[in-house]
Amino acid sequence: MAGARFVQELRARDPRRRFEITVLGAEREAAYNRVLLSSVLAGSLTPAEIETVPSAWYAAEDVELRTGIEVAMVDRRRRRVLTSGGEHIGYDRLVLATGSRAWVPPIDGLVRDDGELDEDVVVFRTLSDCRAMLARLGRVRRAVVLGGGLLGLEAARGLAGRGVEVEVVHPADRLMERQLDLDAGRVLARTLRSLGVRVRLGAQAVSYDEGPCGRGLVLDDGARVPADLLVVACGVRPNTGLAAAARLKIGRAIVVDDRLTSVTDPLIHAIGECAQHAEQVYGLVAPAWEQAAVLADVLTDGTARYAGSQVVTRLKAADVDLAAMGDTDVDDLDEELEVLRFADPARGTYQKIVIRDERVTGAIMLGGPETVGTVTQLFDRAALVPLDRRALIFPGVSDAGGPSDPADLPDDHTVCRCNGVSCGRVREAAEAGARSVADVAATTRATTGCGGCRADVAAVLAAARPADRAVEATVEVPA
């Protein structure tokens, strides 16, 4: 996703096509939105609908796209890469956007002697992985998802939506422990259980093997969890093998400076999940796309600098609305902080907002779609919070610091955070003739990231169009 966006950003700044661009991708598909794979698994989107840059675009923009081509080595001295097919391809500048790979823990039974995954074990990282899971659904009655992080929960909800009995096995004391506090984790687990996803916490997996009643995951307490299919979602690791072999500096990922340039070689750049900037490795789409735009500026005018990204994590699962941002693991007794909380577990609602110096520095918004946009905007812009703090949790409070209805938001309000699209740009698209969310996406890219803003974009668009011209008024948000 980072590499495809970079090529688009570079061509947009290069109308005379001074740059000869070659794109090499190990996957056989053209660029697609990896964030929406859970929607494909759930059946609310097709693989074709998550394509981000059609192959025809590359040809039209005079960009050489070569899919199914794996790079085996980077030869820095000769400024060329060697493909696994034995071909050398030269470069003046090399951009590494190799992303991450799924991490498979050393648990007995997951990997065969030949190093390949067991036939009943899958990871959930690529479109090929997703297709492999879909191909097995007719033979799967019970599935276990190993890992209760973002990707694991999206996979679990997608499988449950297909009628599969699903259980999430997670070693921590709560789901999404990197983003949620204990109370939020409990509410999320309760919500998922109500949607048909069982949750087992504090459970360490020991092996996956054949038992008296069929295949299952064996836990450290001796329990056996039946599983026709085991989905491994235990996190990812940046793909840094090429860079390490080329003797670039590696921390947790490829170390880059503010120009997104390797600190080892000024002709090599890295963006996305394989890049480490200021000790930070981002695993989300919005920072990757921000980096792509900055690097395109660096290569065309040389003045841009990357200053880091504000991280907002969104869970994209049907009937679960969750956003987490900033630092929420705080001491409630800290007199410099205000911590707002509201919980209604029966309705799947938990909201926590951390305020320091009159600004939102962290928040967990579970089941609160009415105010999440306002809170996210305040966090992104480090803007002053309203005097009446209730407005941050309860919509309709008079001192809301801004309207909660997306249709009434000001033009400068960011409605699509992944792509930095404002309400004003959506309204401009409407004036130019956009009649649907798809039309807006085609001209602004709004909704093509995590997809969480689709309902808000539809509301802004509907309000912007004259009453006698129909637009999308009802939106089915992808899982």
Side-chain angles (χ1 to χ4, degrees):
M1 294 178 70
R5 176 57 64 91
F6 165 72
V7 172
Q8 289 181 306
E9 297 283 1
L10 184 60
R11 266 297 182 250
R13 294 160 175 76
D14 179 34
R16 297 183 180 180
R17 299 185 179 179
R18 296 181 298 114
F19 290 88
E20 295 180 9
I21 305 172
T22 300
V23 179
L24 304 176
E27 292 187 63
R28 295 194 177 278
E29 289 89 4
Y32 59 89
N33 189 334
R34 209 181 295 277
V35 179
L36 297 178
L37 283 175
S38 59
S39 298
V40 176
L41 183 61
S44 58
L45 291 176
T46 66
E49 290 175 310
I50 67 169
E51 187 178 65
T52 56
V53 186
S55 299
W57 179 90
Y58 293 90
E61 294 294 330
D62 198 22
V63 174
E64 183 180 4
L65 171 66
R66 302 181 63 183
T67 58
I69 302 293
E70 189 172 352
V71 174
M73 186 184 74
V74 175
D75 184 343
R76 290 170 48 203
R77 186 171 65 85
R78 294 182 176 88
R79 289 192 300 174
R80 63 185 187 180
V81 299
L82 172 66
T83 71
S84 55
E87 181 182 4
H88 286 101
I89 302 174
Y91 66 82
D92 296 313
R93 297 291 183 109
L94 177 65
V95 178
L96 297 174
T98 50
S100 298
R101 66 188 183 282
W103 179 67
V104 179
I107 296 172
D108 289 345
L110 300 192
V111 180
R112 301 188 311 230
D113 292 340
D114 61 3
E116 297 295 321
L117 290 175
D118 182 88
E119 62 182 2
D120 295 324
V121 177
V122 296
V123 294
F124 187 46
R125 180 66 184 164
T126 68
L127 187 53
S128 177
D129 297 332
C130 189
R131 286 185 171 127
M133 293 172 68
L134 290 172
R136 296 180 57 91
L137 286 183
R139 306 189 304 273
V140 173
R141 186 167 65 89
R142 295 170 298 191
V144 167
V145 177
L146 188 58
L150 194 68
L151 194 59
L153 298 184
E154 291 176 357
R157 185 68 187 99
L159 288 169
R162 295 276 192 168
V164 177
E165 295 180 22
V166 183
E167 184 158 353
V168 174
V169 174
H170 192 53
D173 62 351
R174 62 189 179 277
L175 300 171
M176 294 180 62
E177 71 276 6
R178 293 184 180 181
Q179 294 87 17
L180 305 183
D181 61 19
L182 189 58
D183 289 336
R186 287 170 176 162
V187 175
L188 178 58
R190 178 172 177 161
T191 298
L192 289 169
R193 290 184 181 110
S194 72
L195 296 172
V197 177
R198 294 191 295 273
V199 176
R200 190 184 298 246
L201 300 173
Q204 292 284 350
V206 174
S207 65
Y208 179 60
D209 58 27
E210 190 76 30
C213 299
R215 304 215 74 181
L217 186 69
V218 180
L219 307 180
D220 58 354
D221 62 0
R224 172 181 287 273
V225 186
D228 308 317
L229 178 70
L230 180 63
V231 182
V232 179
C234 298
V236 296
R237 299 291 184 269
N239 281 320
T240 59
L242 281 175
R247 296 186 178 180
L248 299 181
K249 183 177 180 180
I250 306 294
R252 289 185 295 132
I254 304 166
V255 180
V256 297
D257 59 20
D258 291 350
R259 292 164 56 89
L260 297 166
T261 302
S262 163
V263 297
T264 308
D265 189 326
L267 301 182
I268 298 180
H269 310 271
I271 56 176
E273 292 182 324
C274 70
Q276 176 178 323
H277 173 266
E279 303 299 322
Q280 180 74 42
V281 179
Y282 297 97
L284 299 171
V285 62
W289 284 350
E290 289 172 16
Q291 291 173 5
V294 170
L295 182 55
D297 284 336
V298 166
L299 295 187
T300 51
D301 68 24
T303 61
R305 297 293 183 271
Y306 180 64
S309 299
Q310 291 274 60
V311 176
V312 177
T313 301
R314 298 295 297 261
L315 177 63
K316 294 158 292 298
D319 304 310
V320 183
D321 196 319
L322 169 63
M325 62 204 79
D327 184 14
T328 58
D329 185 15
V330 297
D331 181 0
D332 289 6
L333 300 180
D334 187 338
E335 294 183 356
E336 295 183 358
L337 296 178
E338 294 179 61
V339 181
L340 313 180
R341 281 193 182 87
F342 174 76
D344 186 353
R347 291 175 173 79
T349 299
Y350 178 87
Q351 299 184 47
K352 176 180 181 179
I353 301 172
V354 180
I355 300 171
R356 183 188 294 272
D357 297 329
E358 297 296 309
R359 290 168 172 82
V360 174
T361 58
I364 299 170
M365 307 294 285
L366 173 58
E370 301 89 352
T371 56
V372 65
T374 297
V375 172
T376 303
Q377 197 84 354
L378 291 170
F379 172 75
D380 272 340
R381 299 184 176 184
L384 294 175
V385 298
L387 292 176
D388 190 340
R389 310 303 201 227
R390 295 174 303 165
L392 300 177
I393 294 177
F394 302 110
V397 174
S398 59
D399 183 19
S404 59
D405 186 346
D408 297 329
L409 292 169
D411 281 348
D412 64 351
H413 183 93
T414 302
V415 67
C416 174
R417 191 177 182 279
C418 292
N419 290 285
V421 180
S422 67
C423 290
R425 287 184 63 193
V426 175
R427 292 174 182 129
E428 289 172 4
E431 287 294 321
R435 300 180 61 82
S436 68
V437 172
D439 293 341
V440 174
T443 58
T444 69
R445 292 177 174 154
T447 75
T448 64
C450 72
C453 64
R454 188 175 178 84
D456 288 352
V457 170
V460 174
L461 177 61
R465 298 289 295 171
D468 61 340
R469 297 173 68 179
V471 298
E472 292 185 19
T474 301
V475 177
E476 191 171 306
V477 180

